Amino acid sequence: MANVIGIDAGGTLIKTVHLENNQYCYQTFSTNDIMEVVLWVNENHREAKLMITGGKQTKLAQLVDNEVEMVPEFEATTSGIQAIVNQANLALPDSYLVVNVGTGTSIHSVNGKSAERLGGTGVGGGMLMGLAYLLTGRTNFQEITRLAEKGDRNGIDLKVKDIYEGASPIGGDLTASNFGFIERIKHNEVKNEDVLACLIGMISESILMMAIPFAKTTSTANIVFIGSTFQSNPLFRQQLERFEELFDIKAYFPHRGQFSGAVGALLYR
Ligand code: ATP
Ligand code: MG
């Protein structure tokens, strides 16, 4: 039985972390099944204090009988990253940008102990789920990411080289228009896996294009990507890593980054 549990109740997933035999124990629940968290707490951690953050914090707090403390989400997330990275014995530079790709996407700048939210976008994990369903009828996240890995973006996305007949002023392999190769789309067979690869490509490119100017204006080259959207989603990472050289940035994907909010809430004081 834990004394304290950190809980990040997000729009899609509820992440929890608590100490068990001096080890952090991580769990994920679906926000749609919020009562499963309540049951788990009631059965195993009736006396624990719950440190709750995230958009569903008020809802969850109303459903439990435990003592609760509400933790502000952005503080929890940015302080949690530091703790997660320390646990993994990794080092992060002093200043970096945090891009939290959850249901929605939130961008923060961190400099030493201070952090500031710079902006956000509705282009994120929720959009991935919604458009994947509309385009392919799939709803299972693992299935979507597995299929996308096998996909081919050629012939759906229009690349710079598909427009420029001669020498182009920018790399020919860059995307000129996501889903823009309408002539090919109309005439060729389009597989679900190809559509999903394009979708992940579009989302990753859009997020990166929003993050890069923030990185430049805050004079950092380091971008830390967190959020459950990166979980077992190697294509998403690869699509972002492609741009490290071009934009002179360094992308980090900390192990268990999706638990930053929960860890930050657990350690909050
Ligand atoms: P927000 O912070 O915006 O309120 P959240 O905290 O719930 O949302 P995350 O848990 O970081 O967000 O990420 C949610 C996204 O992760 C989903 O939109 C989806 O793209 C992806 N995802 C990963 N695993 C799952 C899963 N098992 N079920 C549903 N979505 C998943
Ligand atoms: Mg979240």
Side-chain angles (χ1 to χ4, degrees):
M1 162 124 86
N3 295 328
V4 195
I5 304 177
I7 304 182
D8 175 7
T12 306
L13 299 173
I14 299 178
K15 285 75 65 183
T16 71
V17 60
H18 66 275
L19 267 175
E20 214 165 273
N21 305 323
N22 280 329
Q23 296 264 342
Y24 281 111
C25 181
Y26 302 90
Q27 294 195 92
T28 305
F29 300 83
S30 167
T31 305
N32 285 335
D33 304 323
I34 195 165
M35 286 312 292
E36 283 189 13
V37 183
V38 178
L39 270 175
W40 171 71
V41 168
N42 286 347
E43 279 174 17
N44 304 285
H45 305 287
R46 221 169 226 299
E47 305 300 323
K49 178 176 179 186
L50 309 183
M51 308 289 289
I52 314 180
T53 189
K56 301 285 182 195
Q57 61 177 179
T58 311
K59 183 171 179 190
L60 181 61
Q62 284 165 351
L63 293 169
V64 291
D65 297 322
N66 301 53
E67 180 191 351
V68 299
E69 183 172 337
M70 305 297 225
V71 181
E73 179 170 6
F74 301 147
E75 279 90 329
T77 307
T78 45
S79 71
I81 289 175
Q82 205 59 59
I84 281 208
V85 168
N86 291 348
Q87 276 165 32
N89 281 330
L90 293 172
L92 270 183
D94 243 16
S95 88
Y96 49 89
L97 210 66
V98 175
V99 180
N100 183 4
V101 189
T103 313
T105 298
S106 199
I107 302 180
H108 313 253
S109 95
V110 175
N111 202 330
K113 291 224 170 302
S114 69
E116 183 189 0
R117 184 174 188 272
L118 301 176
T121 167
V123 175
M127 180 196 215
L128 170 60
M129 299 303 286
L131 282 182
Y133 175 66
L134 288 172
L135 293 167
T136 71
R138 313 277 163 156
T139 53
N140 180 290
F141 179 77
Q142 253 79 34
E143 192 188 1
I144 289 166
T145 57
R146 213 174 36 236
L147 274 174
E149 259 187 283
K150 293 190 279 181
D152 181 359
R153 297 178 63 185
N154 285 303
I156 297 179
D157 288 336
L158 195 66
K159 293 186 174 186
V160 168
K161 67 181 176 204
D162 297 321
I163 296 182
Y164 269 83
E165 304 270 333
S168 63
I170 54 173
D173 266 329
L174 292 171
T175 312
S177 175
N178 297 89
F179 290 95
F181 215 149
I182 185 69
E183 286 315 311
R184 288 267 183 92
I185 295 172
K186 278 198 295 196
H187 296 113
N188 291 2
E189 186 207 357
V190 174
K191 295 200 201 105
N192 279 346
E193 58 211 56
D194 301 337
V195 171
L196 293 173
C198 290
L199 180 56
I200 288 183
M202 179 181 74
I203 293 173
S204 57
E205 286 162 13
S206 305
I207 289 173
L208 196 75
M209 284 306 125
M210 183 157 179
I212 295 279
F214 281 130
K216 299 292 172 201
T217 47
T218 54
S219 303
T220 185
N222 311 301
I223 308 185
V224 180
F225 292 96
I226 58 164
S228 311
T229 314
F230 294 104
Q231 218 190 337
S232 44
N233 195 350
L235 184 64
F236 206 141
R237 292 180 183 206
Q238 285 159 22
Q239 296 292 330
L240 291 164
E241 281 164 348
R242 280 195 315 146
F243 293 100
E244 285 189 299
E245 212 174 303
L246 185 64
F247 290 108
D248 200 15
I249 53 159
K250 173 96 190 81
Y252 296 83
F253 301 91
H255 181 54
R256 298 212 175 92
Q258 72 272 30
F259 290 98
S260 299
V263 171
L266 180 77
L267 303 175
Y268 189 75
R269 46 193 115 250

